[in-house]
Amino acid sequence: MRILVAHNRYQIRGGEDAAVARDVAALERAGCAVEVVYLDNEAIDSGLARLEAAFSATHAPRGIARVMAAARRFAPDVVHVHNFFPLLSPGIHAAARAAGHATVQTLHNYRLICAGALLMRDGAPCEECVTGSPYRAVRFRCYRGSRLGSLAVARMVDHHRRAGTWRRDVDRFVALTPFARERFVAAGFPAGRIRIRPNGLPDPGPPSGASRDGLLYVGRLSPEKGLLVLAEAAARIGTRVTAIGEGPLAGALAGHPGLDLRGPCAPNAVQAAMARAAALVVPSLWYEGLPMVVAEAFAAGTPVVASRIGALASLVADGTTGLLAAPGDPAALALALARIRDDPAAAAAMGRAARTVYERDWREDVTTRALLAIYRDAVAARAADAPLARTGT
């Protein structure tokens, strides 16, 4: 199978960028021919460039032309789009469909239905734009606190909703979790075209069985991740959580008695920290897409303490692969952290169960087979639709 992957990389590399790279490598290992077209947000380096990118977010002819030039040369069976914002735009799907290619869109976040991409406002979940007007985002400045930026993204969401892009031009969508699928279906996306397939993770090998100690946080140091709640919860029980990552809260959290800030670390160092920790903590206040730190923890045989919110509530089985706590509640989170600290045998049992879930759901060969099945499904759908397109019916 020949796959053309298109992805608009972020200025600060994050989980989506890493997931795309892992998928490309896994597909190549599976024997597929893969070509990747990267557009890079580092090119948006001036006020004029930002303005141009904002108002071409609905239809970005230069980005589309780059991908389609690669498609003409490479002749893919499938054009798989990951992030399209803002240099590629949803318009890539109509262009790929017109050229006869099957199209797939991964729903890494909620950008297709939410200007802020998080379904979150003022520190809490918000679904006003899921079924309502996306222009509500302008009132609340949901895109980076900017009315102008929010208008540009809301215009993109509204245009492609009204134009039928998602019902007409995309053969299959990839949702990372059942929860995410439900939100997109509620927003009017065609349920029959959305498949659930988590991002895969290469197997780091079975856990060593060595004794474990300490609690770990890995991720961006930002408000929606619940770091302030975590810091207070840890301080309440007189413990310190090792925090790996960087972000806007780094300064405010420096010296906090509940956190030991380590800054960003190399992937091998993160993996080693996962393998040593008694549990990983994911105290998010937003719905999350599919935080790969959960998969990484499960692969290492490490249980997860998470907020009972969105996809996290189903990713972590309370009392089996980890513990759940009410989001934004330091007292509830403190109780869960204390259970891990005070009962290492129970934590170890949860870790073993977590490793079993990783092997079943997230191991690279499992998720690669699932992705290839989605590609075959998309190709069949495109082939079935082609005669109808030629006759105009």
Side-chain angles (χ1 to χ4, degrees), residues 213-228:
D213 184 50
L215 300 165
L216 178 68
Y217 170 87
V218 178
R220 184 167 166 77
L221 307 182
S222 54
E224 74 276 4
K225 294 293 189 178
L227 265 297
L228 297 174

Side-chain angles (χ1 to χ4, degrees), residues 9-342:
R9 290 190 290 204
Y10 293 83
Q11 286 181 327
I12 299 175
R13 300 289 183 258
E16 285 184 37
D17 299 306
V20 172
R22 282 194 297 266
D23 270 358
V24 168
L27 289 167
E28 290 175 338
R29 283 192 284 269
C32 298
V34 186
E35 180 155 334
V36 187
V37 178
Y38 286 120
L39 294 94
D40 209 309
N41 279 352
E42 289 181 357
I44 308 174
D45 56 1
S46 68
L48 180 61
R50 284 190 291 273
L51 187 63
E52 181 182 1
F55 284 92
S56 66
T58 298
H59 186 83
R62 283 190 286 184
I64 293 171
R66 276 190 58 189
V67 174
M68 294 313 298
R72 285 190 295 273
R73 182 182 65 253
F74 183 64
D77 299 301
V78 176
V79 175
H80 185 172
V81 180
H82 289 269
N83 179 41
F84 55 73
F85 182 80
L87 298 177
L88 184 54
S89 81
I92 182 58
H93 288 291
R97 177 177 179 270
H101 307 301
T103 58
V104 173
Q105 171 72 58
T106 292
L107 305 169
H108 287 285
N109 56 40
Y110 299 103
R111 180 78 68 198
L112 283 66
I113 56 178
C114 168
L118 303 180
L119 291 182
M120 181 180 185
R121 178 168 58 84
D122 296 334
C126 171
E127 297 192 18
E128 287 198 26
C129 294
V130 171
T131 56
S133 169
Y135 289 104
R136 296 180 184 183
V138 181
R139 173 187 174 190
F140 298 111
R141 305 182 184 188
C142 293
Y143 181 72
R144 298 188 176 184
S146 165
R147 287 193 192 277
L148 186 62
S150 298
L151 174 62
V153 185
R155 176 172 168 264
M156 177 195 75
V157 173
D158 183 58
H159 172 83
H160 290 285
R161 179 185 290 178
R162 292 177 182 273
T165 297
W166 310 123
R167 290 188 169 273
R168 181 188 62 244
D169 296 333
V170 182
D171 293 300
R172 291 295 178 265
F173 296 91
V174 180
L176 304 182
T177 65
F179 177 85
R181 182 183 185 276
E182 291 170 3
R183 307 288 18 93
F184 282 98
V185 171
F189 281 61
R193 297 190 185 189
I194 305 177
R195 302 290 183 266
I196 299 169
R197 178 260 180 188
N199 295 324
L201 188 70
D203 192 346
S208 68
S211 61
R212 293 165 175 258
D213 184 50
L215 300 165
L216 178 68
Y217 170 87
V218 178
R220 184 167 166 77
L221 307 182
S222 54
E224 74 276 4
K225 294 293 189 178
L227 265 297
L228 297 174
V229 178
L230 175 59
E232 183 179 341
R236 282 182 179 224
I237 61 170
T239 194
R240 286 170 67 83
V241 176
T242 298
I244 295 176
E246 58 187 337
L249 289 182
L253 293 172
H256 194 287
L259 296 179
D260 179 12
L261 301 185
R262 297 292 178 86
C265 294
N268 60 341
V270 175
Q271 190 175 84
M274 289 266 192
R276 293 191 302 268
L280 176 80
V281 191
V282 186
S284 293
L285 305 179
W286 76 288
Y287 287 153
E288 293 280 0
L290 176 64
M292 287 308 291
V293 290
V294 175
E296 291 167 6
F298 281 18
T302 304
V304 174
V305 178
S307 298
R308 186 182 284 105
I309 186 172
L312 290 171
S314 59
L315 291 174
V316 177
D318 192 28
T320 302
T321 59
L323 298 173
L324 295 171
D329 186 340
L333 182 57
L335 287 174
L337 300 182
R339 283 182 62 186
I340 295 291
R341 182 194 62 187
D342 297 340

